[in-house]
Amino acid sequence: MQTFFGELNLKDFLVFQLLAHTFRYLLIAGGAYLVFWRLLPSRMRPHSTSFDSVMKGQIKKEILWSFSSIGCFVLIAMGVFFASQAGLVKLYSQVSDRGWPYWFASLFLLMVVHETYFYFIHRAMHHPWLFKRVHAVHHQSLNPTPFTSFSFHPLEAFLEALVVPTMICLIPFHLGVILAYQFLTLILNVNGHLGFELYPADHQARPILRFINTATLHGHHHKAFNCNYGLYTTFWDRWLGSLVPVVKK
């Protein structure tokens, strides 16, 4: 049966997914750690979101949990493969089929849906029962590093990754949109866990930047636990009253 993935067999598809997720994680999270934590630590020190050092063995644990998460992502990709065989996947490969305006609009839609989904799933994870059994894994990193970005309990990793499979079964997406989304969401995720603030100190007072989630805001979430639940933006936190700005003295 001809599917979106052509004649690619399941084994080769899963190997590709494993390599792709691993490469993207090591490139973006590993690259950020190398640059900001190893090559420029003294220069970045004034921009640190915390003056606490990481716990002993923290980075090793984060990487191990991250590869567990990558394994979950690959399992979900397997579900996408079978959904494609059943004719449920609405991916397409030619931009000309729908045009560039649709390409960018669909990417924006995916980011908005993910931001909304993430906020409510994340906030639910802070219910005491779920936090203790699931989300506590992520919050073991009181002082986040770039490697914290994928450091999840398997159940949380699975829930976090359901957005794309669901959306591509409902709405047509160009394959390039999915690839762009995967890179963009990880870059923003790593930025939130960077441990250093890349935005100006007065970003909360600037019209556009005040709606962007930052390493300072998310770093505070890792310590306070009960605020700043957003991923890309502060929209839902502002609207629902869970935003707690951080002013560094």
Side-chain angles (χ1 to χ4, degrees):
M1 178 179 180
Q2 187 71 19
T3 70
F4 176 81
F5 302 109
E7 299 301 323
L8 190 66
N9 62 51
L10 178 60
K11 179 181 178 181
D12 291 341
F13 176 76
L14 294 182
V15 169
F16 172 79
Q17 288 293 320
L18 176 61
L19 293 176
H21 282 295
T22 300
F23 171 76
R24 187 166 55 249
Y25 173 72
L26 294 179
L27 175 67
I28 299 174
Y33 180 79
L34 177 63
V35 171
F36 295 104
W37 287 73
R38 291 302 181 186
L39 298 181
L40 302 173
S42 58
R43 185 174 178 179
M44 295 303 300
R45 185 62 177 170
H47 305 284
S48 174
T49 58
S50 171
F51 292 98
D52 302 321
S53 60
V54 299
M55 295 181 294
K56 183 178 180 181
Q58 175 181 323
I59 291 177
K60 180 180 179 180
K61 288 181 180 179
E62 289 174 343
I63 293 174
L64 290 174
W65 280 115
S66 294
F67 276 99
S68 170
S69 296
I70 289 173
C72 292
F73 301 158
V74 172
L75 288 177
I76 289 178
M78 181 170 64
V80 172
F81 183 89
F82 288 127
S84 175
Q85 288 187 322
L88 300 176
V89 170
K90 298 181 181 296
L91 290 172
Y92 64 98
S93 58
Q94 299 297 322
V95 175
S96 58
D97 288 349
R98 293 179 177 271
W100 283 108
Y102 182 89
W103 195 99
F104 285 104
S106 63
L107 176 60
F108 178 75
L109 174 64
L110 186 55
M111 300 294 286
V112 169
V113 170
H114 186 201
E115 173 73 2
T116 302
Y117 175 80
F118 177 88
Y119 177 88
F120 289 100
I121 285 291
H122 187 193
R123 192 158 185 175
M125 287 288 174
H126 279 263
H127 182 280
W129 192 91
L130 282 174
F131 185 91
K132 180 179 179 181
R133 292 164 175 80
V134 181
H135 195 48
V137 168
H138 188 67
H139 274 274
Q140 288 175 356
S141 303
L142 294 176
N143 185 28
T145 77
F147 295 113
T148 313
S149 55
F150 272 4
S151 182
F152 302 124
H153 182 282
L155 177 58
E156 182 171 2
F158 182 81
L159 291 174
E160 293 286 2
L162 284 180
V163 171
V164 169
T166 302
M167 291 294 287
I168 64 176
C169 288
L170 297 174
I171 300 171
F173 285 95
H174 185 268
L175 180 60
V177 168
I178 303 304
L179 296 176
Y181 157 84
Q182 289 177 333
F183 271 95
L184 186 56
T185 189
L186 182 54
I187 290 170
L188 294 174
N189 194 356
V190 167
N191 176 64
H193 294 96
L194 188 61
F196 300 102
E197 186 55 76
L198 301 183
Y199 291 101
D202 64 343
H203 64 270
Q204 285 295 313
R206 300 195 180 191
I208 296 179
L209 292 183
R210 66 193 296 262
F211 289 101
I212 296 176
N213 199 13
T214 66
T216 301
L217 290 174
H218 195 70
H220 185 59
H221 169 80
H222 271 258
K223 295 175 178 61
F225 297 93
N226 60 351
C227 60
N228 305 346
Y229 299 103
L231 179 59
Y232 310 126
T233 75
T234 62
F235 173 79
W236 286 107
D237 281 307
R238 289 180 183 279
W239 196 25
L240 297 180
S242 54
L243 178 69
V244 176
V246 180
V247 179
K248 294 187 69 174
K249 298 180 180 180

